[in-house]
Structures are given as structure tokens and as C-alpha cells.
Amino acid sequence: MENLGVGKVLLVEDDERLAALIAHFLTQHGFEVRAVHRGDVALAAFLEFKPRVVVLDLMLPGQSGLHVCREIRAISDIPIVILTAKEDDLDHILGLESGADDYVIKPIKPPVLLARLRALQRRQVPQDSVRGALEFGRLVIDRSCREVRLGAQVIDLTTMEFELLWLLASAAGTLLSRDDILNRMRGIAFDGLNRSVDVYISKLRGKLNDNPREPVCIKTIWGKGYLFNPFAWEV
């Protein structure tokens, strides 16, 4: 993966006044921001600007934010934060299913967005400062190169998927509630309606060949949370 510039944010937002406000606020806090206002120019801007993170509105002229999200995710695993005016849980799930790592609901509070971006930055630790790998039979999770291997197959994970898998695997055999997971991953408490953890767990199961109807690798403990089974990967 190409080394992307630290602190560079691509902001895709059709409301130019809001975009200017966000860009000004983030610039004051040390970010370099490039703003575009149409979905059909977002990918070209991404390739040219090489941001560290993308902040993406869902409702855009030219192409939808979901389409842009899928385009970027097809070629990069950098964090994507979606902006949505909808509080509908389904809207958030669609964004996460399209490859987004996080979301912020409009009207946007710039300090909240800043906190989310800084949290994502903290997860993007330079590879030479991170060491360690977890091995569970055929499954190897290598944090030094952020690579996951299942036997001879390299599993392609987004930033958030990798962090969630590392969190679960680091606590192998221990039950983690959704509250635990969200507090560690995003610094916020599970509100009872947020389904993002369930979405990411489902995506991980699919990529790791875990049976979604009767999962044995990442188990659901109903009403309590999730448990990573350290013995499921043995040959």
C-alpha cells in the first residue's frame, strides 16, 4: 500500500458553505484539507491528492456517496468517514456495508468530527513502530505489516475490520460486549441502536469463512456480545 500523507483529508461535501466551515476548522487543528463538491470528481481527487482519510457526504450530485465509498474502498483501505443527515439506522448500515469506517450525523459538530479523525489517526500507527503477531492455527494476524493470512490466503480487510479483528483476537476466549468494543474502537458507548459492530462482525465472518448461521470462529453470545474462539482455526 502506498504511503499516504499524514494529516491530509479529502472532504467530499456538496454544501460549499458547510465544506468551507469544516475545512477551516480542521486546518486550524493541523490537517491539510482538499474539498470537492461532486461525487463524480471524488475518485480523481482522491488519486491526485492521496489523502490519509476521506470525509464523505452521502447525498451528492453526480454520484452518490455510497458509490464513491465503494470506488475508493476497491483500491484503498484508508479510513472513510461518512456524513449523513439521516438518523435512520439503515442508512448507517448501508454506509458501513459499502466500506466506511465511521459516520457522523448532521448537523455536524466540528469538534466531534475532529475527535473521530484523531481516533482514526491513532489507529494508523507507522508500521515500523508496531510489532507483534497473533497466531491461531491457520489464522495469522500480523500487526507489523497489518496483514491477515488464513492458510496460504491473504485476507483483504479495511482499517476498521483489521482493528476489530485484532481487538477480538487479543482478547481470545474472553467475551466482549458491544459496549466494550465501541468504547475501545471509537471511544463512545453503545447506544442500543447502533448496529455498526454487528455489521463489522458480519463482514469479518464472511471474509474468514465463518458460517454466518452457525458461527464458530467469532461466536455471538446472545444479549451479551462476541467471543473470538482461539481453537476454531486449528487444522
Side-chain angles (χ1 to χ4, degrees), residues 11-113:
L11 173 61
V12 188
E13 166 61 61
D14 65 326
D15 184 332
E16 296 189 21
R17 183 177 179 182
L18 176 59
L21 174 66
I22 294 173
H24 178 70
F25 183 83
L26 294 180
T27 299
Q28 286 185 316
H29 288 81
F31 289 86
E32 180 183 351
V33 182
R34 170 81 60 86
V36 297
H37 309 299
R38 294 182 58 87
D40 51 1
V41 301
L43 183 60
F46 174 82
L47 294 172
E48 191 275 329
F49 185 53
K50 297 181 174 61
R52 191 69 175 177
V53 64
V54 176
V55 178
L56 176 65
D57 189 22
L58 287 186
M59 303 297 292
L60 295 167
Q63 281 181 344
S64 73
L66 292 177
H67 183 88
V68 173
C69 186
R70 288 190 290 267
E71 281 189 324
I72 293 175
R73 183 55 72 226
I75 60 173
S76 174
D77 62 358
I78 74 164
I80 300 174
V81 179
I82 57 174
L83 306 179
T84 173
K86 300 179 180 179
E87 295 191 14
D88 186 356
D89 204 38
L90 177 61
D91 196 56
H92 307 154
I93 290 175
L94 288 174
L96 297 173
E97 288 282 10
S98 296
D101 296 283
D102 204 349
Y103 62 85
V104 176
I105 299 174
K106 294 181 178 180
I108 296 165
K109 296 179 180 178
V112 173
L113 178 59

